[in-house]
Coordinates of all heavy atoms in Angstrom, one line a residue:
M1 N 125.7 -94.2 26.1 CA 125.9 -92.9 25.5 C 126.4 -92.1 26.6 O 126.0 -92.0 27.7 CB 124.4 -92.5 24.9 CG 124.5 -91.0 24.5 SD 122.9 -90.4 24.0 CE 122.6 -91.6 22.6
I2 N 127.3 -91.2 26.2 CA 127.9 -90.2 27.0 C 127.2 -88.9 26.7 O 127.3 -88.4 25.5 CB 129.5 -90.1 26.9 CG1 130.2 -91.4 27.2 CG2 130.0 -88.9 27.6 CD1 131.7 -91.3 27.1
Y3 N 126.6 -88.4 27.7 CA 125.8 -87.1 27.4 C 126.6 -85.8 27.6 O 126.4 -84.9 26.8 CB 124.6 -87.1 28.3 CG 123.6 -88.2 28.0 CD1 123.6 -89.3 28.9 CD2 122.7 -88.1 27.1 CE1 122.8 -90.3 28.7 CE2 121.8 -89.2 26.9 CZ 121.8 -90.3 27.6 OH 120.9 -91.3 27.4
N4 N 127.5 -85.8 28.6 CA 128.2 -84.6 28.8 C 129.7 -84.9 28.9 O 130.1 -85.2 29.9 CB 127.8 -84.0 30.2 CG 126.2 -83.6 30.2 OD1 125.8 -82.9 29.4 ND2 125.6 -84.0 31.2
L5 N 130.3 -84.7 27.8 CA 131.8 -85.0 27.7 C 132.5 -83.8 27.3 O 132.3 -83.0 26.4 CB 132.0 -86.0 26.6 CG 133.4 -86.6 26.7 CD1 133.7 -87.3 28.0 CD2 133.5 -87.7 25.5
N6 N 133.4 -83.4 28.1 CA 134.3 -82.2 28.0 C 135.8 -82.7 28.0 O 136.3 -82.9 29.0 CB 134.1 -81.1 29.1 CG 134.9 -79.8 28.9 OD1 135.6 -79.8 27.8 ND2 134.8 -79.0 29.8
G7 N 136.3 -82.8 26.8 CA 137.7 -83.5 26.7 C 137.5 -84.9 27.0 O 136.7 -85.7 26.4
T8 N 138.2 -85.4 28.1 CA 137.9 -86.8 28.6 C 137.1 -86.8 29.9 O 136.8 -87.9 30.4 CB 139.3 -87.5 28.9 OG1 139.9 -86.7 29.8 CG2 140.1 -87.6 27.5
Y9 N 136.7 -85.6 30.4 CA 135.8 -85.6 31.6 C 134.4 -85.7 31.3 O 133.9 -84.9 30.5 CB 136.1 -84.4 32.4 CG 135.3 -84.3 33.6 CD1 135.5 -85.1 34.7 CD2 134.2 -83.5 33.7 CE1 134.7 -85.1 35.9 CE2 133.4 -83.3 34.8 CZ 133.7 -84.2 35.8 OH 132.8 -84.1 36.9
E10 N 133.7 -86.7 31.9 CA 132.3 -86.9 31.7 C 131.6 -86.3 33.0 O 131.9 -86.8 34.1 CB 131.9 -88.3 31.6 CG 130.4 -88.6 31.4 CD 130.0 -90.1 31.5 OE1 130.9 -91.0 31.7 OE2 128.8 -90.4 31.2
S11 N 130.6 -85.5 32.8 CA 129.7 -85.0 33.8 C 128.5 -85.9 33.9 O 127.6 -85.9 32.9 CB 129.3 -83.6 33.6 OG 130.4 -82.8 33.5
P12 N 128.3 -86.7 34.9 CA 127.2 -87.6 35.0 C 125.8 -86.9 35.1 O 125.7 -85.8 35.6 CB 127.3 -88.4 36.3 CG 128.8 -88.1 36.7 CD 129.2 -86.8 36.2
L13 N 124.8 -87.6 34.6 CA 123.4 -87.0 34.6 C 122.8 -87.8 35.8 O 122.4 -89.0 35.6 CB 122.6 -87.2 33.4 CG 123.1 -86.4 32.2 CD1 122.2 -86.8 31.0 CD2 122.9 -84.9 32.5
Y14 N 122.6 -87.2 36.9 CA 122.0 -87.8 38.0 C 120.5 -87.9 38.0 O 119.9 -86.9 37.5 CB 122.5 -87.2 39.4 CG 124.0 -87.3 39.7 CD1 124.7 -86.3 39.6 CD2 124.4 -88.6 40.1 CE1 126.1 -86.4 39.9 CE2 125.7 -88.6 40.4 CZ 126.6 -87.6 40.3 OH 127.9 -87.7 40.6
K15 N 119.9 -89.0 38.6 CA 118.4 -88.9 38.7 C 118.0 -87.8 39.6 O 118.7 -87.4 40.5 CB 117.9 -90.2 39.2 CG 118.1 -91.3 38.3 CD 117.4 -92.6 38.7 CE 117.5 -93.7 37.8 NZ 116.5 -93.6 36.7
K16 N 116.9 -87.2 39.4 CA 116.4 -86.0 40.2 C 116.5 -86.4 41.7 O 116.0 -87.4 42.1 CB 115.0 -85.5 39.8 CG 114.6 -84.4 40.3 CD 113.3 -83.9 39.8 CE 112.8 -82.6 40.5 NZ 111.6 -82.1 39.9
N17 N 117.1 -85.4 42.5 CA 117.2 -85.5 43.9 C 118.0 -86.7 44.4 O 117.7 -87.3 45.5 CB 115.8 -85.4 44.5 CG 115.0 -84.2 44.3 OD1 115.8 -83.1 44.2 ND2 113.8 -84.3 44.0
T18 N 118.9 -87.3 43.6 CA 119.7 -88.4 44.0 C 121.2 -88.2 43.6 O 121.5 -87.2 42.9 CB 119.3 -89.7 43.4 OG1 119.7 -89.8 42.0 CG2 117.8 -89.9 43.4
H19 N 122.0 -89.1 44.0 CA 123.3 -89.1 43.6 C 123.6 -90.4 42.8 O 124.7 -91.0 42.8 CB 124.4 -89.0 44.7 CG 124.3 -87.7 45.3 ND1 124.8 -86.5 44.8 CD2 123.7 -87.2 46.5 CE1 124.6 -85.5 45.6 NE2 123.9 -85.9 46.6
I20 N 122.6 -90.9 42.0 CA 122.6 -92.1 41.4 C 122.4 -91.9 39.8 O 121.5 -91.2 39.4 CB 121.6 -93.1 41.8 CG1 121.9 -93.5 43.3 CG2 121.5 -94.4 41.0 CD1 120.8 -94.3 43.9
C21 N 123.2 -92.5 39.0 CA 123.1 -92.5 37.5 C 122.8 -93.9 37.1 O 123.6 -94.9 37.5 CB 124.3 -92.0 36.9 SG 124.7 -90.4 37.2
L22 N 121.8 -94.3 36.5 CA 121.6 -95.6 36.1 C 121.3 -95.6 34.5 O 120.3 -95.0 34.2 CB 120.3 -96.2 36.8 CG 120.0 -97.6 36.5 CD1 121.2 -98.6 36.7 CD2 118.8 -98.0 37.3
Y23 N 122.2 -96.3 33.8 CA 122.0 -96.3 32.4 C 121.7 -97.8 32.0 O 122.4 -98.6 32.3 CB 123.2 -95.9 31.6 CG 123.6 -94.6 31.8 CD1 124.8 -94.1 32.6 CD2 122.9 -93.5 31.4 CE1 125.1 -92.9 32.8 CE2 123.2 -92.2 31.6 CZ 124.3 -91.9 32.3 OH 124.7 -90.6 32.5
H24 N 120.5 -98.0 31.5 CA 120.2 -99.3 30.8 C 120.5 -99.2 29.3 O 119.6 -98.7 28.6 CB 118.7 -99.6 31.1 CG 118.3 -100.9 30.5 ND1 117.1 -101.3 30.2 CD2 119.0 -102.0 30.2 CE1 117.0 -102.5 29.7 NE2 118.2 -103.0 29.7
N25 N 121.6 -99.5 28.9 CA 122.0 -99.3 27.5 C 121.7 -100.6 26.8 O 122.3 -101.6 27.0 CB 123.5 -99.0 27.5 CG 124.0 -98.6 26.2 OD1 123.2 -98.7 25.2 ND2 125.2 -98.2 26.0
N26 N 120.8 -100.5 25.8 CA 120.5 -101.6 24.9 C 121.1 -101.5 23.6 O 120.6 -102.2 22.5 CB 119.0 -101.9 25.0 CG 118.2 -100.7 24.4 OD1 118.8 -99.7 24.1 ND2 116.9 -100.8 24.5
I27 N 122.0 -100.6 23.4 CA 122.7 -100.4 22.1 C 124.2 -100.7 22.2 O 124.9 -100.1 23.2 CB 122.5 -98.9 21.5 CG1 121.0 -98.6 21.4 CG2 123.2 -98.7 20.2 CD1 120.7 -97.2 21.0
A28 N 124.8 -101.6 21.5 CA 126.2 -101.8 21.6 C 127.0 -100.7 20.8 O 126.7 -100.6 19.6 CB 126.4 -103.2 20.9
E29 N 127.7 -100.0 21.6 CA 128.5 -98.9 21.1 C 129.8 -98.7 21.8 O 129.8 -99.1 23.0 CB 127.7 -97.5 21.0 CG 127.3 -97.1 22.4 CD 126.5 -95.7 22.3 OE1 126.8 -94.9 21.4 OE2 125.5 -95.7 22.9
D30 N 130.8 -98.2 21.1 CA 132.1 -98.0 21.8 C 132.0 -96.7 22.5 O 131.2 -95.8 22.2 CB 133.1 -97.9 20.7 CG 133.5 -99.1 20.0 OD1 133.1 -100.1 20.4 OD2 134.1 -99.0 19.0
Y31 N 132.7 -96.6 23.7 CA 132.8 -95.3 24.3 C 134.3 -94.9 24.4 O 135.2 -95.8 24.6 CB 132.4 -95.5 25.8 CG 130.9 -95.8 26.0 CD1 130.4 -97.0 25.9 CD2 130.0 -94.7 26.1 CE1 129.0 -97.3 26.0 CE2 128.7 -94.9 26.2 CZ 128.1 -96.2 26.1 OH 126.9 -96.4 26.2
P32 N 134.6 -93.7 24.1 CA 135.9 -93.3 24.0 C 136.6 -93.1 25.5 O 135.8 -93.1 26.4 CB 135.8 -91.8 23.4 CG 134.4 -91.3 23.8 CD 133.6 -92.6 23.9
P33 N 137.9 -93.0 25.6 CA 138.5 -92.8 26.8 C 137.9 -91.6 27.6 O 137.8 -90.5 27.0 CB 139.9 -92.5 26.5 CG 140.2 -93.2 25.2 CD 138.9 -93.0 24.4
H34 N 137.5 -91.9 28.8 CA 136.8 -90.8 29.6 C 137.0 -91.2 31.0 O 137.4 -92.3 31.5 CB 135.4 -90.7 29.3 CG 134.5 -91.7 29.6 ND1 134.5 -92.9 28.8 CD2 133.7 -92.0 30.6 CE1 133.7 -93.8 29.5 NE2 133.2 -93.3 30.5
W35 N 136.7 -90.2 31.9 CA 136.7 -90.4 33.3 C 135.7 -89.6 34.0 O 135.1 -88.7 33.4 CB 138.1 -90.1 33.9 CG 138.6 -88.7 33.9 CD1 139.0 -88.1 32.8 CD2 138.4 -87.8 35.0 NE1 139.2 -86.7 33.2 CE2 138.8 -86.5 34.5 CE3 137.9 -87.8 36.2 CZ2 138.8 -85.3 35.2 CZ3 137.9 -86.6 37.0 CH2 138.4 -85.5 36.5
H36 N 135.3 -89.9 35.3 CA 134.3 -89.2 36.1 C 134.6 -89.5 37.5 O 135.4 -90.4 37.9 CB 133.0 -89.6 35.6 CG 132.8 -91.0 35.3 ND1 132.8 -92.0 36.3 CD2 132.6 -91.6 34.1 CE1 132.5 -93.2 35.6 NE2 132.5 -93.0 34.3
M37 N 134.1 -88.7 38.4 CA 134.2 -88.8 39.8 C 133.4 -90.1 40.4 O 134.0 -90.8 41.2 CB 133.8 -87.6 40.6 CG 134.8 -86.4 40.2 SD 136.6 -86.8 40.6 CE 136.6 -87.2 42.3
P38 N 132.2 -90.3 40.0 CA 131.5 -91.5 40.6 C 132.1 -92.8 40.3 O 132.7 -93.0 39.2 CB 130.1 -91.4 40.1 CG 129.9 -90.0 39.4 CD 131.4 -89.6 39.2
L39 N 132.0 -93.8 41.1 CA 132.3 -95.2 40.8 C 131.3 -95.6 39.6 O 130.2 -95.2 39.7 CB 132.0 -96.0 42.0 CG 132.0 -97.5 41.9 CD1 133.4 -98.1 41.9 CD2 131.3 -98.1 43.1
E40 N 131.9 -96.5 38.9 CA 131.0 -97.1 37.7 C 131.0 -98.6 37.9 O 132.1 -99.1 38.2 CB 131.6 -96.6 36.3 CG 130.8 -97.2 35.2 CD 131.2 -96.6 33.8 OE1 131.8 -95.5 33.8 OE2 130.9 -97.3 32.8
I41 N 129.9 -99.1 37.8 CA 129.7 -100.6 37.9 C 129.1 -101.0 36.5 O 128.1 -100.5 36.1 CB 128.7 -100.9 39.1 CG1 129.2 -100.4 40.3 CG2 128.4 -102.4 39.1 CD1 128.2 -100.5 41.5
L42 N 129.8 -101.9 35.8 CA 129.3 -102.4 34.6 C 129.0 -103.8 34.7 O 129.7 -104.7 35.3 CB 130.5 -102.3 33.5 CG 131.0 -100.9 33.2 CD1 132.2 -101.0 32.4 CD2 129.9 -100.1 32.4
M43 N 127.8 -104.3 34.1 CA 127.5 -105.5 34.1 C 126.7 -105.8 32.7 O 125.5 -105.5 32.7 CB 126.5 -106.0 35.2 CG 126.3 -107.5 35.2 SD 125.1 -108.1 36.5 CE 123.5 -107.6 35.9
P44 N 127.3 -106.4 31.7 CA 126.6 -106.6 30.5 C 125.7 -107.8 30.7 O 125.9 -108.7 31.4 CB 127.7 -107.0 29.5 CG 129.0 -107.4 30.3 CD 128.7 -106.7 31.6
I45 N 124.5 -107.8 30.0 CA 123.5 -108.8 30.0 C 123.6 -109.7 28.8 O 123.4 -110.9 28.8 CB 122.1 -108.2 30.2 CG1 121.9 -107.2 31.4 CG2 121.0 -109.3 30.1 CD1 122.2 -107.9 32.6
E46 N 124.0 -109.0 27.7 CA 124.2 -109.9 26.5 C 125.6 -109.4 25.8 O 126.0 -108.2 26.0 CB 123.2 -109.4 25.4 CG 121.7 -109.8 25.8 CD 120.7 -109.4 24.7 OE1 121.1 -108.9 23.7 OE2 119.5 -109.7 25.0
H47 N 126.2 -110.3 25.1 CA 127.4 -110.0 24.5 C 128.6 -109.7 25.5 O 128.4 -109.5 26.7 CB 127.4 -108.9 23.5 CG 126.2 -109.1 22.6 ND1 126.1 -110.0 21.6 CD2 125.0 -108.3 22.6 CE1 124.9 -109.9 21.0 NE2 124.4 -108.9 21.5
S48 N 129.8 -109.8 25.0 CA 131.0 -109.6 25.8 C 131.6 -108.2 25.4 O 131.4 -107.9 24.2 CB 132.0 -110.7 25.6 OG 131.5 -111.9 26.0
Y49 N 132.1 -107.6 26.3 CA 132.8 -106.2 25.9 C 134.2 -106.2 26.4 O 134.5 -106.9 27.4 CB 132.0 -105.1 26.7 CG 130.6 -104.9 26.2 CD1 129.5 -105.7 26.4 CD2 130.4 -103.8 25.3 CE1 128.3 -105.5 26.1 CE2 129.1 -103.6 24.8 CZ 128.0 -104.5 25.2 OH 126.8 -104.2 24.6
T50 N 135.0 -105.3 25.8 CA 136.3 -105.1 26.2 C 136.3 -103.8 26.9 O 135.9 -102.8 26.3 CB 137.3 -105.3 25.1 OG1 137.2 -106.5 24.5 CG2 138.8 -105.0 25.5
I51 N 136.9 -103.7 28.1 CA 137.1 -102.5 28.8 C 138.6 -102.2 29.0 O 139.3 -103.1 29.4 CB 136.5 -102.5 30.2 CG1 134.9 -103.0 30.1 CG2 136.5 -101.1 30.9 CD1 134.0 -102.1 29.3
I52 N 139.0 -101.0 28.6 CA 140.4 -100.6 28.8 C 140.3 -99.7 29.9 O 139.7 -98.5 29.9 CB 141.0 -99.9 27.6 CG1 140.8 -100.9 26.4 CG2 142.5 -99.6 27.9 CD1 141.6 -102.2 26.4
A53 N 141.0 -99.9 31.1 CA 141.1 -99.1 32.3 C 142.4 -99.0 32.7 O 143.1 -100.1 33.1 CB 140.1 -99.6 33.4
N54 N 143.0 -97.7 32.8 CA 144.4 -97.5 33.2 C 145.4 -98.5 32.4 O 146.2 -99.1 33.0 CB 144.6 -97.7 34.7 CG 144.1 -96.6 35.6 OD1 143.9 -95.4 35.0 ND2 144.1 -96.8 36.8
D55 N 145.1 -98.4 31.0 CA 145.9 -99.3 30.1 C 145.9 -100.8 30.3 O 146.8 -101.5 29.9 CB 147.3 -98.7 30.1 CG 147.4 -97.3 29.6 OD1 146.7 -96.9 28.7 OD2 148.3 -96.5 30.2
Q56 N 144.9 -101.2 31.2 CA 144.8 -102.6 31.4 C 143.5 -103.1 30.7 O 142.4 -102.4 30.8 CB 144.6 -103.0 32.9 CG 144.4 -104.3 33.2 CD 145.6 -105.3 33.0 OE1 146.7 -104.8 33.3 NE2 145.3 -106.4 32.5
R57 N 143.5 -104.3 30.0 CA 142.4 -104.8 29.3 C 141.6 -105.8 30.1 O 142.2 -106.6 30.7 CB 142.9 -105.5 28.0 CG 141.8 -106.1 27.2 CD 142.5 -107.0 26.1 NE 141.5 -107.8 25.4 CZ 141.1 -107.6 24.2 NH1 141.7 -106.7 23.4 NH2 140.2 -108.3 23.6
Y58 N 140.3 -105.6 30.1 CA 139.3 -106.5 30.8 C 138.4 -107.1 29.8 O 137.7 -106.1 29.2 CB 138.7 -105.8 32.0 CG 139.6 -105.3 33.0 CD1 140.1 -104.0 32.8 CD2 140.2 -106.1 34.0 CE1 141.0 -103.4 33.8 CE2 140.9 -105.6 35.0 CZ 141.4 -104.3 34.9 OH 142.3 -103.7 35.9
D59 N 138.2 -108.3 29.6 CA 137.1 -108.9 28.8 C 136.0 -109.1 29.8 O 136.2 -110.0 30.7 CB 137.6 -110.1 28.2 CG 138.8 -109.8 27.1 OD1 138.5 -108.9 26.4 OD2 139.8 -110.5 27.0
V60 N 134.9 -108.6 29.6 CA 133.7 -108.7 30.5 C 132.6 -109.4 29.7 O 132.1 -109.0 28.7 CB 133.3 -107.3 30.9 CG1 132.1 -107.4 31.9 CG2 134.4 -106.5 31.5
N61 N 132.2 -110.6 30.3 CA 131.3 -111.4 29.7 C 129.9 -111.2 30.4 O 129.9 -110.6 31.5 CB 131.7 -112.9 29.9 CG 133.0 -113.1 29.1 OD1 133.1 -112.9 27.9 ND2 133.9 -113.6 29.8
P62 N 128.8 -111.7 29.8 CA 127.5 -111.4 30.3 C 127.4 -111.9 31.8 O 127.9 -113.0 32.1 CB 126.6 -112.3 29.5 CG 127.3 -112.3 28.1 CD 128.7 -112.4 28.5
Y63 N 126.9 -111.0 32.6 CA 126.7 -111.2 34.1 C 128.0 -111.1 34.9 O 128.0 -111.2 36.1 CB 125.9 -112.4 34.4 CG 124.6 -112.4 33.7 CD1 124.3 -113.1 32.6 CD2 123.5 -111.6 34.3 CE1 123.1 -112.9 32.0 CE2 122.3 -111.5 33.7 CZ 122.0 -112.2 32.6 OH 120.8 -112.1 32.0
D64 N 129.1 -110.8 34.2 CA 130.4 -110.4 34.9 C 130.1 -109.0 35.5 O 129.4 -108.3 34.9 CB 131.5 -110.4 34.1 CG 132.1 -111.8 33.7 OD1 131.7 -112.8 34.3 OD2 133.1 -111.7 32.9
I65 N 130.7 -108.7 36.5 CA 130.5 -107.3 37.0 C 132.0 -106.8 37.2 O 133.0 -107.3 37.7 CB 129.9 -107.4 38.5 CG1 128.5 -107.8 38.4 CG2 129.9 -105.9 39.1 CD1 127.8 -108.1 39.7
L66 N 132.2 -105.5 36.7 CA 133.5 -104.8 36.8 C 133.1 -103.5 37.4 O 132.2 -102.7 37.1 CB 133.9 -104.5 35.3 CG 135.3 -103.8 35.2 CD1 136.4 -104.7 35.8 CD2 135.6 -103.4 33.7
F67 N 134.0 -103.1 38.4 CA 134.1 -101.9 39.1 C 135.1 -101.0 38.6 O 136.2 -101.4 38.5 CB 134.2 -102.0 40.6 CG 133.0 -102.8 41.3 CD1 133.1 -104.2 41.2 CD2 132.0 -102.1 41.8 CE1 132.0 -104.8 41.9 CE2 131.0 -102.8 42.5 CZ 130.9 -104.1 42.5
I68 N 134.8 -99.8 38.2 CA 135.7 -98.8 37.8 C 135.8 -97.7 38.7 O 134.7 -97.0 38.9 CB 135.4 -98.3 36.4 CG1 135.5 -99.5 35.3 CG2 136.5 -97.3 36.0 CD1 135.1 -99.1 33.9
G69 N 137.0 -97.4 39.3 CA 137.1 -96.4 40.5 C 136.9 -95.1 40.0 O 137.1 -94.8 38.7
S70 N 136.8 -94.1 40.9 CA 136.7 -92.6 40.7 C 138.0 -92.2 40.0 O 139.1 -92.5 40.5 CB 136.6 -91.9 41.9 OG 136.5 -90.6 41.8
G71 N 137.9 -91.4 38.9 CA 139.0 -90.8 38.3 C 139.8 -91.7 37.3 O 140.8 -91.3 36.8
V72 N 139.4 -93.0 37.1 CA 140.1 -93.9 36.3 C 139.7 -93.6 34.8 O 138.5 -93.7 34.4 CB 139.9 -95.3 36.7 CG1 140.4 -96.4 35.7 CG2 140.3 -95.6 38.1
I73 N 140.7 -93.4 34.0 CA 140.4 -93.3 32.5 C 140.0 -94.6 32.0 O 140.8 -95.6 32.2 CB 141.6 -92.5 31.9 CG1 141.7 -91.2 32.3 CG2 141.3 -92.6 30.3 CD1 143.0 -90.5 31.8
H74 N 138.9 -94.7 31.3 CA 138.4 -96.0 30.8 C 137.7 -95.9 29.5 O 137.3 -94.7 29.2 CB 137.7 -96.7 31.7 CG 136.4 -96.0 32.1 ND1 136.5 -95.0 33.1 CD2 135.1 -96.2 31.9 CE1 135.2 -94.5 33.3 NE2 134.4 -95.2 32.6
S75 N 137.7 -96.9 28.7 CA 137.0 -96.9 27.4 C 136.3 -98.3 27.2 O 136.6 -99.2 27.9 CB 137.9 -96.5 26.2 OG 138.9 -97.5 26.1
T76 N 135.3 -98.4 26.3 CA 134.6 -99.6 26.1 C 134.6 -99.9 24.6 O 134.4 -98.9 23.8 CB 133.2 -99.4 26.6 OG1 133.1 -99.1 27.9 CG2 132.4 -100.6 26.3
I77 N 134.9 -101.2 24.3 CA 134.9 -101.6 23.0 C 133.8 -102.6 22.9 O 133.8 -103.7 23.5 CB 136.3 -102.3 22.6 CG1 137.4 -101.3 22.7 CG2 136.1 -102.8 21.1 CD1 138.8 -102.0 22.6
A78 N 132.8 -102.3 22.1 CA 131.6 -103.1 22.0 C 131.7 -104.2 21.0 O 132.6 -104.2 20.1 CB 130.4 -102.2 21.5
P79 N 130.9 -105.3 21.0 CA 131.0 -106.4 20.2 C 130.7 -106.0 18.7 O 130.0 -105.0 18.6 CB 130.1 -107.4 20.8 CG 129.1 -106.6 21.6 CD 129.9 -105.4 22.1

């Protein structure tokens, strides 16, 4: 879930007194094109997802790890 989206810019919700955002998402949902300053690390546990990052398609399977760099516009297509 994207909590703070302004146009395509996402403002992350950091854990108190840290610079870490950790989302344990157990709902398969699409994410619209967006970007943010922090690095994003994606690792699905169940199902495969399609990630579009800088107009490149990535099929991410369970336990694959995908790194999305700072400022990269990306979206997620859920199963």
Side-chain angles (χ1 to χ4, degrees):
M1 171 181 299
I2 295 180
Y3 295 100
N4 298 312
L5 191 62
N6 183 5
T8 59
Y9 177 70
E10 178 187 11
S11 299
L13 292 175
Y14 293 107
K15 290 187 176 282
K16 188 175 182 176
N17 299 319
T18 73
H19 294 286
I20 296 173
C21 298
L22 180 61
Y23 297 112
H24 179 205
N25 187 352
N26 56 5
I27 300 172
E29 62 181 318
D30 293 344
Y31 291 89
H34 67 283
W35 68 277
H36 37 73
M37 293 306 297
L39 167 77
E40 182 168 336
I41 303 170
L42 297 169
M43 187 182 79
I45 303 299
E46 296 179 1
H47 310 293
S48 296
Y49 290 79
T50 299
I51 309 300
I52 308 297
N54 278 347
D55 297 321
Q56 178 71 37
R57 177 189 171 113
Y58 299 92
D59 294 316
V60 185
N61 298 306
Y63 298 101
D64 286 350
I65 297 174
L66 180 68
F67 293 87
I68 299 174
S70 175
V72 173
I73 296 176
H74 58 284
S75 60
T76 303
I77 302 168

